[in-house]
Amino acid sequence: MKICVIGAGHVGLVTSACFAQLGHSVINVDNDKIRIRNLMKGSMPFFEPGLERLVKENRKNGRLGFSASVVDGVKKCGLIFICVGTPPREDGEADLSSVEKVVRKIARSLSGYKTIVEKSTVPVNTWKWIKHTVGLYSGQGADFDVAVNPEFLREGSAVRDFLKPDRIVIGVENERARKIILEAYRKIKCPKIITNLPTAEMIKHASNSFLATKISYINSVANLCEKVGADVQSVAQGMGYDPRIGKAFLSAGAGYGGFCFPKDLAAFIYIAEKNGYDFAILKAVQKVNEEQKRAVARKVKEALWVLKDKVIGVLGLSFKPDTDDMRLAPSIDIIKALQSDGARIKAFDPAAMANAKKLLRGVRFCKNAYSAAEGCDCVLVLTEWDEFRDLDLGKLKRLMKIPVIIDGRNIFKPEQMKKLGFVYKGIGR
Ligand code: UDX
């Protein structure tokens, strides 16, 4: 099939490379000409395991092309995926101006039948606006269908998530669009949920918000565990064996971040409000997450008493491991809180330092975990990168001024840390 993917961000580029990998002929369009030029030269705009190889391979075999022109992509392809960003406004409402602009461009480039698929995470019933706008700008008699196909991929495992998904959700109005989208995903074996368009949009909102709820829930349980002498990891394990609860997304820590959960939650709350419903549970989820970041900063303070001129070595800056993404990473708020109390920050992250440098001021970025820990009054773990689990802890201790570790992601074992002579505090245990 000939597929045009509009947007070369995380979702768009992964979608493009993976559809090419499935054997389709793909044009990935983005209005950022520099990004497109770099992609044509083989340089990736962000780090995502396995993606660079897929892009190179499919560039070579001619199945993946890049373009800065929507017209170009739409003219050549029958199936069009919209994967542009929907950033949050101040009040939480999603900013749909990029989607609207792209839709107008698609409308003006229509020639012959097209299936236009909304893949960006958007407020429920955005499909109606897409349909209306395409009709408005393409003139009478244009032949097209609008469909919804939300993306559930996670950064860091995006390629695997796309090619081996738990499910594919497809919202359509008719048989024609259903057949075309199913054909695009024919080689992927997984449950395929075919439903109407608003339901498909709601599935995405409801899924992300539920996952964020799980995280804030376990973080709340963790806070209580600390007070009563229980261990949240064992509590989560004990809960997770119940298939109605499940083991995933029950890791207590420094709170969720990234570009999806905070933004999608705010958008869902906003949509609810606009429709006259107070989504109180999600407001509490947000509040718990903000408080969790403050709680981690407080733990450092409790361990060191006065923070002024204390040196804190932060291990991990990205919002989660295996990504260089710093967007809304808990590390930003936590580091700022520590700095505002006068602490001096050294930091190391295996992938996110370049992005972190743009967001954090007054931080000394170090070449590895050991140099970040050297001379520190406290080491603070904020991202659970595997390489931190494998650190030589004896060496780390020798390098530190005093051996205090605040483990914001519970990557170390409390008994082992105590045996090694660390003053150790995790989350919820
Ligand atoms: C998320 C959804 O998982 C994905 O389906 C959707 O398409 C986009 O949003 P992503 O933001 O890439 O994906 O990361 P995810 O792995 O879900 O983690 C989000 C945040 O939650 C991270 O900050 C992570 O550290 C935190 N988290 C996750 C926890 O604190 N505890 C957990 O148990 C799981």
Side-chain angles (χ1 to χ4, degrees):
M1 296 173 90
K2 287 200 162 76
I3 300 178
C4 170
V5 177
I6 304 176
H10 232 103
V11 172
L13 189 54
V14 171
T15 301
S16 302
C18 290
F19 271 141
Q21 187 68 11
L22 292 174
H24 302 301
S25 171
V26 182
I27 302 178
N28 189 191
V29 177
D30 199 291
N31 63 358
D32 181 343
K33 291 198 175 97
I34 298 171
R35 179 169 289 216
I36 291 297
R37 210 177 308 137
N38 286 340
L39 278 165
M40 281 170 161
K41 282 191 274 180
S43 151
M44 301 294 287
F46 49 80
F47 169 70
E48 178 61 46
L51 183 61
E52 189 167 359
R53 188 182 60 79
L54 232 59
V55 169
K56 281 205 172 123
E57 223 173 275
N58 287 286
R59 288 282 296 153
K60 226 176 177 179
N61 64 30
R63 285 204 296 259
L64 178 59
F66 294 102
S67 168
S69 157
V70 170
V71 183
D72 183 37
V74 173
K75 286 239 155 82
K76 289 181 186 147
C77 305
L79 181 54
I80 300 151
F81 284 85
I82 302 172
C83 301
V84 295
T86 52
R89 292 183 199 276
E90 266 300 286
D91 58 1
E93 185 182 9
D95 179 352
L96 298 179
S97 53
S98 299
V99 175
E100 196 262 357
K101 212 158 115 193
V102 158
V103 169
R104 274 191 282 127
K105 280 191 186 160
I106 295 172
R108 293 218 182 89
S109 326
L110 287 190
S111 55
Y113 171 75
K114 309 278 174 190
T115 314
I116 302 165
V117 188
E118 163 201 300
K119 211 176 203 1
S120 304
T121 302
V122 290
V124 61
N125 280 332
T126 297
W127 71 271
K128 276 189 189 165
W129 282 105
I130 296 180
K131 191 172 171 183
H132 172 75
T133 308
V134 175
L136 208 64
Y137 285 85
S138 60
Q140 291 272 305
D143 192 14
F144 68 93
D145 284 314
V146 171
V148 173
N149 169 223
E151 186 47 67
F152 298 99
L153 55 81
R154 290 163 296 177
E155 289 183 28
S157 56
V159 171
R160 195 186 56 219
D161 289 345
F162 189 98
L163 293 171
K164 290 189 177 9
D166 301 315
R167 81 297 208 186
I168 292 173
V169 173
I170 299 169
V172 282
E173 278 189 299
N174 59 36
E175 186 57 22
R176 177 166 69 167
R178 187 185 86 100
K179 269 196 178 146
I180 289 171
I181 300 175
L182 279 178
E183 177 58 22
Y185 285 112
R186 187 172 45 85
K187 285 194 184 154
I188 297 182
K189 303 278 171 262
C190 72
K192 290 172 183 147
I193 295 117
I194 316 286
T195 181
N196 65 30
L197 292 95
T199 305
E201 289 173 326
M202 276 298 278
I203 290 172
K204 172 72 188 187
H205 282 304
S207 303
N208 268 6
S209 294
F210 185 75
L211 291 170
T213 305
K214 262 188 123 174
I215 299 169
S216 277
Y217 181 79
I218 201 67
N219 281 335
S220 300
V221 172
N223 293 333
L224 192 55
C225 281
E226 285 178 12
K227 293 190 196 298
V228 300
D231 179 337
V232 73
Q233 284 198 314
S234 303
V235 173
Q237 199 185 13
M239 289 164 64
Y241 278 110
D242 184 330
R244 292 170 303 174
I245 297 172
K247 289 183 186 144
F249 271 70
L250 287 179
S251 301
Y256 61 76
F259 202 52
C260 288
F261 285 168
K263 161 178 92 75
D264 293 354
L265 222 70
F268 206 18
I269 291 170
Y270 184 89
I271 297 161
E273 233 143 59
K274 235 173 99 185
N275 285 282
Y277 180 68
D278 177 24
F279 217 142
I281 192 169
L282 294 187
K283 289 182 182 167
V285 168
Q286 280 183 324
K287 196 167 155 230
V288 168
N289 198 55
E290 289 312 305
E291 173 51 30
Q292 194 65 12
K293 292 184 260 183
R294 282 194 286 276
V296 171
R298 230 175 10 247
K299 272 181 199 287
V300 178
K301 211 168 168 179
E302 276 160 15
L304 298 180
W305 189 18
V306 172
L307 287 187
K308 190 162 184 327
D309 293 331
K310 296 276 165 60
V311 186
I312 321 274
V314 175
L315 302 189
L317 297 167
S318 55
F319 83 98
K320 64 175 203 175
D322 297 321
T323 175
D324 61 355
D325 200 339
M326 280 296 296
R327 289 176 298 176
L328 300 176
S331 66
I332 301 170
D333 287 345
I334 296 170
I335 286 175
K336 284 183 179 165
L338 296 172
Q339 284 175 323
S340 75
D341 274 328
R344 286 188 279 141
I345 308 290
K346 294 172 80 181
F348 169 72
D349 187 282
M353 301 241 274
N355 288 334
K357 281 176 191 166
K358 296 178 209 153
L359 295 166
L360 294 166
R361 296 277 158 263
V363 171
R364 216 171 108 205
F365 293 95
C366 302
K367 64 176 191 305
N368 58 37
Y370 298 111
S371 78
E374 198 170 359
C376 283
D377 298 278
C378 170
V379 158
L380 170 62
V381 180
L382 290 182
T383 318
E384 64 276 36
W385 285 92
D386 272 345
E387 70 169 76
F388 298 153
R389 295 181 209 273
D390 301 332
L391 284 171
D392 175 345
L393 293 169
K395 180 175 170 187
L396 199 83
K397 184 168 168 245
R398 283 192 298 279
L399 286 167
M400 294 176 70
K401 196 196 284 173
I402 51 163
V404 176
I405 293 203
I406 305 296
D407 184 357
R409 294 291 175 188
N410 286 344
I411 62 171
F412 299 121
K413 291 196 173 69
E415 318 78 57
Q416 191 200 359
M417 298 306 278
K418 268 172 206 145
K419 233 191 244 158
L420 285 167
F422 283 102
V423 174
Y424 175 84
K425 276 251 167 296
I427 306 286
R429 52 189 194 156

